[in-house]
Amino acid sequence: EAAVTQSPRSKVAVTGGKVTLSCHQTNNHDYMYWYRQDTGHGLRLIHYSYVADSTEKGDIPDGYKASRPSQENFSLILELASLSQTAVYFCASSDMRTGKSNYAEQFFGPGTRLTVL
Amino acid sequence: QQNVQQSPESLIVPEGARTSLNCTFSDSASQYFWWYRQHSGKAPKALMSIFSNGEKEEGRFTIHLNKASLHFSLHIRDSQPSDSALYLCAVSMRQGGRALIFGTGTTVSVSP
């Protein structure tokens, strides 16, 4: 099964500080995603990437940057953390090559709980 | 822009009862339909998917898809306390990098 790991698992940051969340996948998936989940709610897409050294904006990119230095690694960067960015952040990966029986299935990491004070 | 909505927002069902969850989507070109389950404090995990109109059953879980009505559903037979979770539906187009667009979720609580 797909393995996606995230670090750190939890973090407390100060308003205005810089935060970097890291994601690593070992399944040779082409696509990687960053989502935000607020308590009891669905997933909102922040950024995604389909190839190393390239990222795309999702639905809520404001206040976030992303970096994909290699196929295995995908980072989410909050340059100036704000209170409103307190949430759980999930990284996911998927194999989007056509013809796959589980086309578009996304495999999620365990999440990072970020608290901005 | 695809719009994916779920109903109800939450429900409580007695153990052993049938649970029914609904998902509507707005883009008739959608081709792949998923249900994810997320237990409290855990990551979402794919539960089932369906790619063509009709019904698909896996154990106690059944998906119904009606593309003409822009609707699909998840039914859980003989609900168990372990089924208590947040259920997320998701829709995918074949082309485009967005892959999955998730609904807002339905929280299910199964009471013993």
Side-chain angles (χ1 to χ4, degrees), chain A residues 50-84:
Chain A
Y50 55 87
V51 67
D53 296 321
S54 177
T55 63
E56 305 291 333
K57 294 180 179 179
D59 295 327
I60 54 165
D62 292 345
Y64 302 94
K65 290 173 57 177
S67 172
R68 184 131 181 232
S70 64
Q71 185 175 29
E72 298 79 20
N73 295 293
F74 193 34
S75 297
L76 185 68
I77 302 132
L78 291 66
E79 294 278 3
L80 295 170
S82 66
L83 295 174
S84 64

Short mmCIF file of all heavy atoms in Angstrom, two decimals, chain A residues 50-84:
data_model
loop_
_atom_site.label_atom_id
_atom_site.label_comp_id
_atom_site.label_asym_id
_atom_site.label_seq_id
_atom_site.Cartn_x
_atom_site.Cartn_y
_atom_site.Cartn_z
N TYR A 50 2.40 17.83 -10.25
CA TYR A 50 2.39 16.60 -11.04
C TYR A 50 3.78 16.22 -11.55
O TYR A 50 3.96 15.19 -12.19
CB TYR A 50 1.41 16.68 -12.21
CG TYR A 50 1.60 17.86 -13.12
CD1 TYR A 50 2.49 17.80 -14.20
CD2 TYR A 50 0.88 19.04 -12.94
CE1 TYR A 50 2.67 18.87 -15.04
CE2 TYR A 50 1.07 20.13 -13.78
CZ TYR A 50 1.95 20.04 -14.82
OH TYR A 50 2.12 21.12 -15.66
N VAL A 51 4.77 17.10 -11.24
CA VAL A 51 6.14 16.79 -11.65
C VAL A 51 7.09 17.59 -10.77
O VAL A 51 6.73 18.68 -10.28
CB VAL A 51 6.34 17.11 -13.14
CG1 VAL A 51 6.26 18.60 -13.40
CG2 VAL A 51 7.66 16.53 -13.65
N ALA A 52 8.27 17.06 -10.57
CA ALA A 52 9.26 17.76 -9.76
C ALA A 52 9.55 19.14 -10.34
O ALA A 52 9.52 19.34 -11.56
CB ALA A 52 10.54 16.94 -9.67
N ASP A 53 9.81 20.09 -9.44
CA ASP A 53 10.17 21.47 -9.78
C ASP A 53 9.01 22.26 -10.37
O ASP A 53 9.23 23.32 -10.97
CB ASP A 53 11.36 21.51 -10.74
CG ASP A 53 12.62 20.95 -10.12
OD1 ASP A 53 12.84 21.20 -8.92
OD2 ASP A 53 13.37 20.25 -10.82
N SER A 54 7.79 21.77 -10.18
CA SER A 54 6.61 22.49 -10.66
C SER A 54 5.46 22.31 -9.67
O SER A 54 5.26 21.21 -9.16
CB SER A 54 6.19 21.96 -12.03
OG SER A 54 5.02 22.61 -12.47
N THR A 55 4.74 23.40 -9.39
CA THR A 55 3.58 23.32 -8.51
C THR A 55 2.43 24.09 -9.14
O THR A 55 2.63 24.99 -9.95
CB THR A 55 3.88 23.89 -7.12
OG1 THR A 55 4.19 25.28 -7.22
CG2 THR A 55 5.04 23.16 -6.46
N GLU A 56 1.21 23.74 -8.73
CA GLU A 56 0.01 24.39 -9.23
C GLU A 56 -0.85 24.84 -8.05
O GLU A 56 -0.85 24.20 -7.00
CB GLU A 56 -0.81 23.41 -10.09
CG GLU A 56 -0.05 22.79 -11.24
CD GLU A 56 0.28 23.78 -12.32
OE1 GLU A 56 -0.46 24.78 -12.46
OE2 GLU A 56 1.29 23.57 -13.02
N LYS A 57 -1.59 25.95 -8.26
CA LYS A 57 -2.46 26.43 -7.22
C LYS A 57 -3.74 25.61 -7.17
O LYS A 57 -4.29 25.22 -8.20
CB LYS A 57 -2.81 27.90 -7.46
CG LYS A 57 -1.61 28.84 -7.34
CD LYS A 57 -2.03 30.27 -7.59
CE LYS A 57 -0.84 31.21 -7.43
NZ LYS A 57 -1.21 32.63 -7.69
N GLY A 58 -4.22 25.38 -5.93
CA GLY A 58 -5.51 24.74 -5.74
C GLY A 58 -6.59 25.77 -5.50
O GLY A 58 -6.57 26.87 -6.07
N ASP A 59 -7.51 25.47 -4.61
CA ASP A 59 -8.65 26.35 -4.36
C ASP A 59 -8.36 27.47 -3.37
O ASP A 59 -8.96 28.53 -3.43
CB ASP A 59 -9.84 25.53 -3.84
CG ASP A 59 -10.35 24.57 -4.88
OD1 ASP A 59 -10.30 24.92 -6.09
OD2 ASP A 59 -10.79 23.47 -4.51
N ILE A 60 -7.45 27.23 -2.44
CA ILE A 60 -7.17 28.23 -1.39
C ILE A 60 -5.66 28.45 -1.26
O ILE A 60 -5.08 28.23 -0.20
CB ILE A 60 -7.79 27.81 -0.03
CG1 ILE A 60 -7.33 26.40 0.37
CG2 ILE A 60 -9.31 27.87 -0.09
CD1 ILE A 60 -7.61 26.08 1.83
N PRO A 61 -4.98 28.96 -2.28
CA PRO A 61 -3.52 29.08 -2.24
C PRO A 61 -2.98 30.30 -1.48
O PRO A 61 -1.79 30.34 -1.15
CB PRO A 61 -3.15 29.18 -3.72
CG PRO A 61 -4.34 29.88 -4.32
CD PRO A 61 -5.54 29.36 -3.56
N ASP A 62 -3.86 31.28 -1.22
CA ASP A 62 -3.38 32.53 -0.62
C ASP A 62 -2.77 32.28 0.75
O ASP A 62 -3.38 31.67 1.61
CB ASP A 62 -4.53 33.54 -0.52
CG ASP A 62 -5.00 34.01 -1.87
OD1 ASP A 62 -4.27 33.78 -2.86
OD2 ASP A 62 -6.09 34.60 -1.94
N GLY A 63 -1.55 32.81 0.94
CA GLY A 63 -0.86 32.65 2.21
C GLY A 63 0.01 31.41 2.28
O GLY A 63 0.67 31.17 3.30
N TYR A 64 0.02 30.62 1.21
CA TYR A 64 0.79 29.37 1.18
C TYR A 64 1.66 29.32 -0.08
O TYR A 64 1.26 29.78 -1.15
CB TYR A 64 -0.13 28.16 1.16
CG TYR A 64 -1.09 28.05 2.31
CD1 TYR A 64 -2.40 28.55 2.20
CD2 TYR A 64 -0.74 27.40 3.49
CE1 TYR A 64 -3.30 28.43 3.25
CE2 TYR A 64 -1.64 27.27 4.54
CZ TYR A 64 -2.92 27.79 4.41
OH TYR A 64 -3.81 27.67 5.44
N LYS A 65 2.84 28.74 0.08
CA LYS A 65 3.68 28.40 -1.06
C LYS A 65 3.98 26.92 -1.00
O LYS A 65 3.91 26.29 0.06
CB LYS A 65 4.99 29.19 -1.02
CG LYS A 65 4.84 30.69 -1.29
CD LYS A 65 6.16 31.43 -1.06
CE LYS A 65 7.28 30.90 -1.90
NZ LYS A 65 8.55 31.67 -1.71
N ALA A 66 4.33 26.34 -2.15
CA ALA A 66 4.66 24.93 -2.19
C ALA A 66 5.96 24.73 -2.96
O ALA A 66 6.34 25.56 -3.79
CB ALA A 66 3.54 24.13 -2.84
N SER A 67 6.62 23.63 -2.65
CA SER A 67 7.87 23.31 -3.31
C SER A 67 7.96 21.81 -3.51
O SER A 67 7.69 21.03 -2.58
CB SER A 67 9.06 23.79 -2.46
OG SER A 67 10.28 23.33 -3.00
N ARG A 68 8.34 21.40 -4.73
CA ARG A 68 8.51 19.97 -5.02
C ARG A 68 9.90 19.78 -5.62
O ARG A 68 10.08 19.77 -6.83
CB ARG A 68 7.45 19.47 -6.00
CG ARG A 68 7.56 17.96 -6.23
CD ARG A 68 6.27 17.29 -6.10
NE ARG A 68 6.36 15.86 -6.30
CZ ARG A 68 5.60 15.18 -7.15
NH1 ARG A 68 4.71 15.81 -7.89
NH2 ARG A 68 5.73 13.87 -7.25
N PRO A 69 10.89 19.58 -4.76
CA PRO A 69 12.27 19.46 -5.24
C PRO A 69 12.58 18.12 -5.89
O PRO A 69 13.57 18.01 -6.64
CB PRO A 69 13.09 19.66 -3.96
CG PRO A 69 12.18 19.21 -2.86
CD PRO A 69 10.79 19.59 -3.30
N SER A 70 11.76 17.11 -5.60
CA SER A 70 11.97 15.79 -6.19
C SER A 70 10.62 15.09 -6.27
O SER A 70 9.63 15.57 -5.72
CB SER A 70 12.93 14.95 -5.33
OG SER A 70 12.36 14.70 -4.06
N GLN A 71 10.55 13.96 -6.96
CA GLN A 71 9.28 13.26 -7.07
C GLN A 71 8.77 12.81 -5.72
O GLN A 71 7.57 12.75 -5.48
CB GLN A 71 9.40 12.04 -8.00
CG GLN A 71 8.05 11.37 -8.24
CD GLN A 71 8.12 10.24 -9.24
OE1 GLN A 71 9.14 9.59 -9.37
NE2 GLN A 71 7.03 10.01 -9.95
N GLU A 72 9.67 12.52 -4.79
CA GLU A 72 9.28 11.97 -3.51
C GLU A 72 8.87 13.01 -2.47
O GLU A 72 8.19 12.69 -1.51
CB GLU A 72 10.44 11.14 -2.91
CG GLU A 72 10.86 9.94 -3.73
CD GLU A 72 11.74 10.32 -4.91
OE1 GLU A 72 12.34 11.41 -4.90
OE2 GLU A 72 11.82 9.51 -5.86
N ASN A 73 9.32 14.25 -2.64
CA ASN A 73 9.15 15.25 -1.59
C ASN A 73 8.33 16.45 -2.03
O ASN A 73 8.50 16.96 -3.14
CB ASN A 73 10.53 15.73 -1.10
CG ASN A 73 11.31 14.61 -0.44
OD1 ASN A 73 10.94 14.12 0.63
ND2 ASN A 73 12.39 14.18 -1.08
N PHE A 74 7.47 16.91 -1.13
CA PHE A 74 6.58 18.03 -1.42
C PHE A 74 6.41 18.81 -0.12
O PHE A 74 6.00 18.23 0.89
CB PHE A 74 5.25 17.50 -1.93
CG PHE A 74 4.33 18.51 -2.54
CD1 PHE A 74 4.81 19.58 -3.26
CD2 PHE A 74 2.95 18.37 -2.42
CE1 PHE A 74 3.96 20.50 -3.86
CE2 PHE A 74 2.08 19.27 -3.01
CZ PHE A 74 2.58 20.34 -3.73
N SER A 75 6.74 20.09 -0.13
CA SER A 75 6.67 20.91 1.07
C SER A 75 5.62 22.00 0.94
O SER A 75 5.35 22.48 -0.16
CB SER A 75 8.03 21.55 1.35
OG SER A 75 9.02 20.57 1.59
N LEU A 76 5.07 22.37 2.07
CA LEU A 76 4.13 23.49 2.15
C LEU A 76 4.75 24.54 3.06
O LEU A 76 5.18 24.22 4.17
CB LEU A 76 2.79 23.04 2.71
CG LEU A 76 1.68 24.09 2.74
CD1 LEU A 76 1.25 24.43 1.31
CD2 LEU A 76 0.48 23.60 3.55
N ILE A 77 4.80 25.78 2.58
CA ILE A 77 5.48 26.85 3.31
C ILE A 77 4.51 27.97 3.63
O ILE A 77 3.81 28.47 2.72
CB ILE A 77 6.65 27.41 2.48
CG1 ILE A 77 7.64 26.27 2.15
CG2 ILE A 77 7.38 28.52 3.24
CD1 ILE A 77 8.04 26.22 0.72
N LEU A 78 4.46 28.33 4.90
CA LEU A 78 3.71 29.48 5.34
C LEU A 78 4.73 30.56 5.70
O LEU A 78 5.41 30.46 6.71
CB LEU A 78 2.85 29.15 6.56
CG LEU A 78 1.65 28.22 6.38
CD1 LEU A 78 2.07 26.79 6.02
CD2 LEU A 78 0.81 28.21 7.65
N GLU A 79 4.88 31.55 4.84
CA GLU A 79 5.93 32.57 5.05
C GLU A 79 5.61 33.45 6.27
O GLU A 79 6.50 33.77 7.05
CB GLU A 79 6.04 33.46 3.80
CG GLU A 79 6.54 32.73 2.57
CD GLU A 79 8.05 32.59 2.54
OE1 GLU A 79 8.73 33.00 3.51
OE2 GLU A 79 8.58 32.05 1.54
N LEU A 80 4.36 33.81 6.43
CA LEU A 80 3.93 34.65 7.56
C LEU A 80 2.69 34.01 8.16
O LEU A 80 1.56 34.30 7.75
CB LEU A 80 3.63 36.08 7.08
CG LEU A 80 4.79 36.89 6.53
CD1 LEU A 80 4.28 38.17 5.87
CD2 LEU A 80 5.77 37.24 7.66
N ALA A 81 2.90 33.12 9.13
CA ALA A 81 1.77 32.37 9.68
C ALA A 81 0.76 33.29 10.34
O ALA A 81 1.13 34.29 11.00
CB ALA A 81 2.28 31.35 10.69
N SER A 82 -0.51 32.97 10.17
CA SER A 82 -1.59 33.76 10.78
C SER A 82 -2.51 32.83 11.57
O SER A 82 -2.54 31.61 11.35
CB SER A 82 -2.38 34.50 9.70
OG SER A 82 -3.08 33.57 8.89
N LEU A 83 -3.28 33.44 12.48
CA LEU A 83 -4.19 32.66 13.33
C LEU A 83 -5.15 31.82 12.49
O LEU A 83 -5.49 30.69 12.87
CB LEU A 83 -4.98 33.61 14.24
CG LEU A 83 -4.19 34.39 15.28
CD1 LEU A 83 -5.11 35.39 15.99
CD2 LEU A 83 -3.55 33.46 16.28
N SER A 84 -5.58 32.36 11.36
CA SER A 84 -6.56 31.68 10.51
C SER A 84 -5.99 30.43 9.83
O SER A 84 -6.75 29.67 9.23
CB SER A 84 -7.08 32.64 9.44
OG SER A 84 -6.03 33.03 8.57
#
